[in-house]
Amino acid sequence: MRLCLALAVVLITVPATAHDSTERLHGEEAVEHTHIGDEIWDLLLPEAEAQADITIDGAYRHIRANGYPDKAPGQFPNRNNPHSISKKNYNLKIPVKPHATGKATSAQGAVFGIAINGVVMDPGTAEYWQNDRNSGWNYEALGGACKLGLDRYNAHVQPNGTYHYHGIPTGVLAANGGDTVPAMIGYAADGFPVYGPFGYSDPGEKSAVRKLKSSYRIKNGSRPDGPGGRHNGKFTQDWAFVSGSGDLDQCNGRFAMTPEYPEGIYHYVLTDEFPFIPRCWMGTPDGSFLRLKGRRGDVDTQGLESTVDFAAMIDNSDAALTLIQAQGGHPPRLRRGGRTSPPGLGPRQGRGPRQGGMPPPGGQPGGRGPCSGS
């Protein structure tokens, strides 16, 4: 009887899956053709859909995964995310012993890393003010301006079917210790480990666990162009790195002891405040990650487009890290407690539709909608 029901489900869902993107990402191996029996088995055992295999071969750690989470994701498609999840065939590698280069490398336009469940971490969005990539104003997925259909694990689906995280993968975090230990949840493209937001209060020894804070702060004043209005965090460019204002460096990382590395290691930290997932690497990202979104494999730390304003992109000296120059050449002033100012209303604010040329849900063309940037 269960088999008959499964067959019925397969037949019913065939028309819906015809709309799935079948475009293969750069750097993925071809997925072998699956038999109808495999699809039926997946329906009967949905918990077995996730597949991630991490092995070490010589100097490299190999990660093979299908990009599907081990906990049931949210409903996709949904009202704010019209795409269906499609399984991938990731074949990635990272160094077992990563090395810091002494310079931060921008992760703009690339996959930052991968969680231990095989789901990639990709914090950037394709949503820009007035749907204009050249405007320089990129909406933040967790900034509140755009409804991007994220599920409770801070993930959603790209047009090509890639399920990916924009923030802390709460399911992975909970399964690996949550707030009780520094919980390792994945690897960055340069090989350094990625941890959840909790770490030892004393980085040099096993001590009380506390939530770590980012060193990014909202810029003071108003946006000089584009959507106008006061900086409020809804755009990536509303943020600036201020050294010493938090626990972490410009790539949201620090050197500290962890359960897996009792001697200490440099590692990245995912936070529930900007940048959520780091926007740069302190090591050299492997080409297998860069090819996922079509970037070249040989990365130069110079000349890459910076997503956020941090001088360490070109200068890692202590003086450069003391205070970052905000857009327009004016240094950002840290507000008391790091809080944002009330939203400002710029003269050109809220005039653009979301990506795709359609007015955002709840908004009218030319009016203030969820992606107004207010």
Side-chain angles (χ1 to χ4, degrees), residues 109-134:
V111 171
F112 174 76
I114 189 166
I116 56 177
N117 64 351
V119 176
V120 294
M121 305 174 195
D122 189 0
T125 72
E127 279 73 22
Y128 285 78
W129 179 70
Q130 290 196 334
N131 200 29
D132 180 8
R133 183 176 293 271
N134 294 322

Side-chain angles (χ1 to χ4, degrees), residues 289-301:
F289 278 84
L290 299 179
R291 288 191 292 272
L292 289 177
K293 297 186 75 173
R295 269 180 58 170
R296 61 190 177 93
D298 54 328
V299 176
D300 186 352
T301 57

Side-chain angles (χ1 to χ4, degrees), residues 239-277:
W239 296 89
F241 172 76
V242 182
S243 182
S245 62
D247 302 301
L248 308 171
D249 65 17
Q250 66 270 34
C251 293
N252 235 38
R254 71 170 188 166
F255 187 93
M257 174 185 175
T258 71
E260 293 79 12
Y261 299 93
E263 299 301 318
I265 189 172
Y266 179 83
H267 59 277
Y268 301 103
V269 177
L270 304 193
T271 51
D272 54 11
E273 54 192 353
F274 188 89
F276 310 107
I277 294 173

Side-chain angles (χ1 to χ4, degrees), residues 114-373:
I114 189 166
I116 56 177
N117 64 351
V119 176
V120 294
M121 305 174 195
D122 189 0
T125 72
E127 279 73 22
Y128 285 78
W129 179 70
Q130 290 196 334
N131 200 29
D132 180 8
R133 183 176 293 271
N134 294 322
S135 71
W137 294 95
N138 190 194
Y139 286 105
E140 271 297 307
L142 300 179
C146 293
K147 294 181 179 180
L148 301 181
L150 298 171
D151 64 14
R152 61 176 177 163
Y153 302 119
N154 291 318
H156 70 168
V157 185
Q158 291 175 349
N160 61 18
T162 302
Y163 182 77
H164 60 288
Y165 295 118
H166 276 283
I168 298 170
T170 53
V172 179
L173 179 65
N176 289 277
D179 59 356
T180 61
V181 297
M184 183 176 167
I185 56 180
Y187 293 96
D190 60 4
F192 285 112
V194 178
Y195 282 77
F198 295 89
Y200 293 131
S201 54
D202 183 342
E205 63 181 17
K206 187 175 182 179
S207 50
V209 173
R210 65 177 177 85
K211 183 177 286 189
L212 303 175
K213 291 187 173 295
S214 158
S215 295
Y216 282 87
R217 296 294 181 265
I218 296 284
K219 295 176 185 176
N220 191 50
S222 299
R223 303 180 185 112
D225 52 30
R230 295 186 66 83
H231 296 291
N232 57 18
K234 294 187 177 182
F235 291 92
T236 306
Q237 293 73 26
D238 285 338
W239 296 89
F241 172 76
V242 182
S243 182
S245 62
D247 302 301
L248 308 171
D249 65 17
Q250 66 270 34
C251 293
N252 235 38
R254 71 170 188 166
F255 187 93
M257 174 185 175
T258 71
E260 293 79 12
Y261 299 93
E263 299 301 318
I265 189 172
Y266 179 83
H267 59 277
Y268 301 103
V269 177
L270 304 193
T271 51
D272 54 11
E273 54 192 353
F274 188 89
F276 310 107
I277 294 173
R279 309 304 169 94
C280 59
W281 300 287
M282 278 300 191
T284 302
D286 189 82
S288 62
F289 278 84
L290 299 179
R291 288 191 292 272
L292 289 177
K293 297 186 75 173
R295 269 180 58 170
R296 61 190 177 93
D298 54 328
V299 176
D300 186 352
T301 57
Q302 305 295 330
L304 292 177
E305 179 186 356
S306 175
T307 306
V308 286
D309 293 318
F310 48 90
M313 289 299 296
I314 57 174
D315 184 357
N316 277 23
S317 67
D318 291 340
L321 295 180
T322 301
L323 192 63
I324 303 305
Q325 295 296 313
Q327 189 156 341
H330 302 292
R333 292 194 295 272
L334 181 61
R335 297 194 182 96
R336 185 175 302 172
R339 297 178 180 176
T340 63
S341 295
L345 302 179
R348 289 176 288 179
Q349 198 171 324
R351 298 186 181 273
R354 283 189 56 196
Q355 184 182 13
M358 298 297 291
Q364 299 296 325
R368 295 182 62 210
C371 288
S372 68

